[in-house]
Amino acid sequence: MDLRDKIHIDRLPNHIAIIMDGNGRWAKQQGKLRAFGHERGTKSVREVTESSAELGIKNLTLYAFSTENWNRPKLEVQTLMKLLISSLKKEINTLQDNNIKLNAIGDLNALPTKVSRELNDVIDKTKTNDRMTLTLALSYGSRDEIIHAVRDISHKVKNNIISPEKIDEYIINQHLYTRNLPDVDLLIRTSGEQRISNFLLWQIAYAELYFTDVLWPDFSKDDLYEAIVNYQNRERRFGKTSEQLS
Ligand code: IPE
Ligand code: IPE
Ligand code: MG
C-alpha cells in the first residue's frame, strides 16, 4: 500500500512546523561545500510545500534561519541570504500555481534590505491565496519573540490599554509573531538532532514531536507522509485520561 493511502484525510494536522536541519552534513557526505547542501535543501522545501498543500494541510511553518544562525561564518550567512532571494524569485510561481500564501515570522528588520524587499513582494503578491499558509521563520528565535511580546504588552499596560489582570493566553498569543497562526500540531526535525533550538517554544506546548535521521536535502514527500501517519497513530490527550477521549 502506498504511504499516502495510510493518511486519514479527515484527521490531518492543521499546522505542521519543520526544523529543516542537516544541510551541512549532507554536503559533507558528498564531499561538497556546505552551500551545496543549502541549495539542495531548497528542493526539499518545494517538494514538502507542494505535497502539504496537495494533501490539504492548512499551515506549514519552516525554520529557515534562526537568530543564532547570524553567528555562523559571514560567508555562509551571505550564501543563505542570496539563496533566499533567488528562491523567492523562483518560487513565486510555485506559490501562485498552488494557491499558497506566504507569511514570515522573526526579527525581519534584521534581514538585509534586498531580502526583505523580495520577501515583502512575494507576501504581497500571494496575500489573497487561501489553500495553505506557508510561513518562513527568518531571523527567528522564540526568546526574541517573547522579548518583543513582553515589551509590547508592557507599553500597553503603561498606557492603560491593557490591565495586568486581563493578560491571558489569548493576549500573549496576539503579541507573538505567530498571532495569525494556530498552535502547532506536529513538529518535525530532520537530521537526527533531538532539540528545539529556540523554535516556537510557546506554540509547541502541545505539539506532537517527530524526529527523523533523514537529512533535510533527502527529506521527500514520502518522509512527510511517514511523519503524518506516525502523528495520526498517537493519542493526543491534552491532560485528560484516555477514557475521557473515547
Ligand atoms: C540547516 O542545516 C539549515 C540552517 C540552519 C540554515 P545546517 O546548516 O544546520 O546543517 P548541519 O546541521 O550543519 O548539517
Ligand atoms: C536550527 O538548526 C535552525 C534552523 C534549522 C534554521 P541549527 O543547525 O542552527 O541548530 P543547532 O544550533 O544545531 O541546534
Ligand atoms: Mg544544523
Side-chain angles (χ1 to χ4, degrees):
M1 188 156 108
D2 206 297
L3 254 177
R4 176 139 177 7
D5 302 329
K6 289 193 187 163
I7 296 175
H8 299 274
I9 258 11
D10 53 335
R11 289 197 284 115
L12 289 174
N14 183 27
H15 187 177
I16 299 180
I18 308 182
I19 302 175
M20 311 183 288
D21 198 12
N23 293 352
R25 278 163 284 168
W26 185 89
K28 199 172 174 186
Q29 278 179 5
Q30 322 275 318
K32 300 256 171 60
L33 295 172
R34 294 177 58 84
F36 188 67
H38 293 314
E39 204 175 315
R40 279 300 291 265
T42 62
K43 218 184 98 202
S44 305
V45 170
R46 190 184 317 123
E47 181 162 334
V48 166
T49 301
E50 283 184 325
S51 31
S52 296
E54 185 263 327
L55 264 181
I57 303 294
K58 297 309 290 180
N59 299 280
L60 175 68
T61 299
L62 304 176
Y63 203 7
F65 194 86
S66 73
T67 45
E68 288 72 25
N69 288 150
W70 290 115
N71 300 321
R72 291 196 177 189
K74 208 173 151 194
L75 192 65
E76 179 160 348
V77 173
Q78 275 175 359
T79 303
L80 285 165
M81 293 300 142
K82 275 190 204 154
L83 197 58
L84 199 54
I85 298 170
S86 59
S87 302
L88 285 164
K89 281 194 208 285
K90 205 162 102 189
E91 302 305 337
I92 171 87
N93 296 328
T94 313
L95 298 177
Q96 299 293 37
D97 293 348
N98 290 281
N99 192 11
I100 298 167
K101 174 196 193 131
L102 186 72
N103 176 40
I105 55 170
D107 181 15
L108 304 177
N109 293 324
L111 296 170
T113 326
K114 274 188 181 172
V115 175
S116 38
R117 205 185 296 141
E118 208 53 51
L119 188 63
N120 289 329
D121 183 53
V122 179
I123 289 175
D124 189 59
K125 283 182 176 143
T126 61
K127 67 175 181 235
T128 59
N129 292 352
D130 61 3
R131 180 149 78 140
M132 182 178 86
T133 299
L134 169 67
T135 300
L136 295 182
L138 293 168
S139 189
Y140 176 89
S142 211
R143 289 185 170 183
D144 167 72
E145 178 179 42
I146 292 168
I147 291 166
H148 275 91
V150 171
R151 278 191 197 143
D152 286 353
I153 294 171
S154 304
H155 280 299
K156 289 183 185 169
V157 167
K158 193 176 157 206
N159 296 319
N160 296 315
I161 297 166
I162 296 176
S163 81
E165 296 70 35
K166 287 271 154 65
I167 298 172
D168 55 9
E169 283 193 20
Y170 177 79
I171 298 261
I172 292 182
N173 244 324
Q174 285 308 303
H175 289 83
L176 298 174
Y177 296 138
T178 52
R179 61 185 68 90
N180 298 317
L181 296 172
D183 277 352
V184 175
D185 297 302
L186 170 61
L187 174 74
I188 299 172
R189 182 170 188 147
T190 59
S191 90
E193 307 299 349
Q194 304 198 359
R195 55 177 172 259
I196 303 300
S197 304
N198 204 9
F199 192 41
L200 304 174
L201 299 180
W202 168 276
Q203 300 86 342
I204 60 165
Y206 253 109
E208 295 298 327
L209 309 183
Y210 179 85
F211 300 102
T212 170
D213 286 339
V214 176
L215 302 173
W216 180 249
D218 287 329
F219 194 84
S220 68
K221 186 154 84 172
D222 277 335
D223 294 306
L224 175 73
Y225 294 162
E226 203 171 308
I228 296 173
V229 169
N230 184 293
Y231 164 89
Q232 292 188 329
N233 283 319
R234 299 183 191 190
E235 183 177 57
R236 301 185 77 192
R237 290 190 286 279
F238 296 99
K240 295 182 178 173
T241 67
S242 196
E243 291 70 28
Q244 280 178 294
L245 300 170
S246 55

